Amino acid sequence: MEPSQNIYDDPAFFTNYVQLPRQQKGLLGAPEWPALRAMLGSVQGKDVLDLGCGMGWVCRWARDESAKMVKGVDLSETMIAKAREFDAATEGRVAAIDYVVQDLETWMVEPEQEWDVVFSSLTLHYLYDLRRLAQEIYSSLRSGGRFVFSVEHPIYTAPKNPAFVPTPGSPDSKTWQLNAYAEEGVRLTSWLGAKGVRKYHRTMETYLSVLLETGFVLRGFREWMPEAESVGGAKGWVGERDRPMFLLVGVEKAA
Ligand SMILES: C[S@@+](CC[C@H](N)C(=O)[O-])C[C@H]1O[C@@H](n2cnc3c(N)ncnc32)[C@H](O)[C@@H]1O
């Protein structure tokens, strides 16, 4: 296993990243958030852990929804610094969120700390060892606890050259170049001006098998795409009805 790539601490990448609508507007700029929130259910009075918390948008949401304890973990010091900066605005008025800079490839259950909800948004496709992490998450959850996450959809992560091309004979429509679906593992992509951004492709079968073999019970499953009627208004998401970009999953540690 190669050491984790910490692209979010690259200043040039980060400068571009913070311009994205979901970082400018927070959860209002994340079109899949309502579906994830529905899978999360109420977090009132719960202990909530966000793995790959980034700038802490969901941590702050959980805090504002009266979660009992909230912790965010992320590899990037820049992300965690931003999260703390946002939180400083409300310091003293609300319970503090605990942020930790840590690599999820080596993250382990903390003795005597159990969680009711473990959440992760758009982070697990950066990780090599999903099975190990799923087992740690399972061990860290109380009985009846939930693990809810989003990842880039396997149809989105599979291609060696992920791009739409004009559909032959139909120039007004476009086709996603899906290939290499069965070849799990590293994909190097260019994103936000950075080359060699490392992600890991896994099939849908692998995501679900790892969770079920770990002992989780499947509770929710969405291939997020915008509703047909909202496409016109969902600027930037028009292409998402041609192929799903996000996979959302909710599982439970049976009571
Ligand atoms: C696309 S961002 C998502 C951030 C946040 N969850 C959100 O939805 O706004 C992916 C996050 O995963 C973090 N990340 C990537 N690899 C990681 C690793 N090995 N351990 C911990 N965090 C990691 C990155 O630093 C980054 O903050």
Side-chain angles (χ1 to χ4, degrees):
M1 181 177 100
E2 290 186 60
S4 297
Q5 182 189 48
N6 189 352
I7 192 75
Y8 290 80
D9 273 352
D10 176 308
F13 176 89
F14 191 76
T15 301
N16 292 331
Y17 181 75
V18 287
Q19 301 307 322
L20 292 177
R22 66 177 58 221
Q23 302 311 328
Q24 292 284 315
K25 298 188 203 159
L27 298 174
L28 290 175
E32 79 286 11
W33 168 243
L36 278 172
R37 193 182 52 209
M39 281 187 189
L40 280 166
S42 170
V43 294
Q44 188 177 6
K46 309 266 189 197
D47 293 334
V48 179
L49 174 67
D50 184 354
L51 299 178
C53 63
M55 298 190 206
W57 297 108
V58 170
C59 291
R60 286 187 291 283
W61 169 82
R63 179 198 66 189
D64 297 345
E65 291 286 310
S66 306
K68 191 162 100 209
M69 185 196 294
V70 184
K71 179 170 180 172
V73 178
D74 202 284
L75 180 65
S76 160
E77 289 185 13
T78 316
M79 285 291 217
I80 294 291
K82 269 278 171 200
R84 289 194 175 120
E85 207 178 287
F86 278 121
D87 293 6
T90 49
E91 208 167 81
R93 287 196 276 124
V94 288
I97 299 166
D98 184 17
Y99 289 110
V100 181
V101 176
Q102 203 171 343
D103 188 348
L104 292 175
E105 297 283 16
T106 52
W107 176 80
M108 291 174 73
V109 183
E110 298 150 89
E112 298 176 29
Q113 175 61 66
E114 291 187 309
W115 302 97
D116 300 299
V117 178
V118 176
F119 177 77
S120 182
S121 160
L122 299 178
T123 296
L124 302 184
H125 50 262
Y126 289 107
L127 302 184
Y128 168 80
D129 197 348
L130 180 65
R131 190 174 293 274
R132 191 204 72 86
L133 184 66
Q135 286 163 352
E136 291 296 324
I137 293 169
Y138 190 85
S139 305
S140 77
L141 278 169
R142 297 192 170 104
S143 292
R146 285 164 275 155
F147 172 36
V148 174
F149 68 90
S150 64
V151 282
E152 289 183 355
H153 194 286
I155 288 177
Y156 185 78
T157 56
K160 293 290 168 108
N161 180 20
F164 280 111
V165 291
T167 307
S170 179
D172 290 342
S173 94
K174 56 191 175 13
T175 300
W176 181 249
Q177 301 189 105
L178 177 61
N179 64 4
Y181 190 82
E183 274 179 54
E184 297 191 301
V186 176
R187 297 291 186 276
L188 296 178
T189 58
S190 297
W191 190 40
L192 298 174
K195 290 199 175 113
V197 177
R198 195 166 76 218
K199 299 177 188 175
Y200 292 90
H201 165 64
R202 296 181 179 89
T203 63
M204 191 81 85
E205 181 176 317
T206 294
Y207 275 114
L208 292 182
S209 304
V210 164
L211 295 166
L212 298 177
E213 287 163 15
T214 301
F216 284 112
V217 177
L218 185 62
R219 292 290 182 222
F221 184 81
R222 294 279 311 269
E223 297 178 286
W224 185 85
M225 285 171 275
E227 303 294 327
E229 57 274 14
S230 72
V231 166
K235 214 175 155 205
W237 297 103
V238 179
E240 305 309 318
R241 286 185 63 79
D242 284 321
R243 55 102 185 86
M245 189 174 176
F246 302 131
L247 172 65
L248 319 181
V249 181
V251 290
E252 188 179 303
K253 178 171 178 172

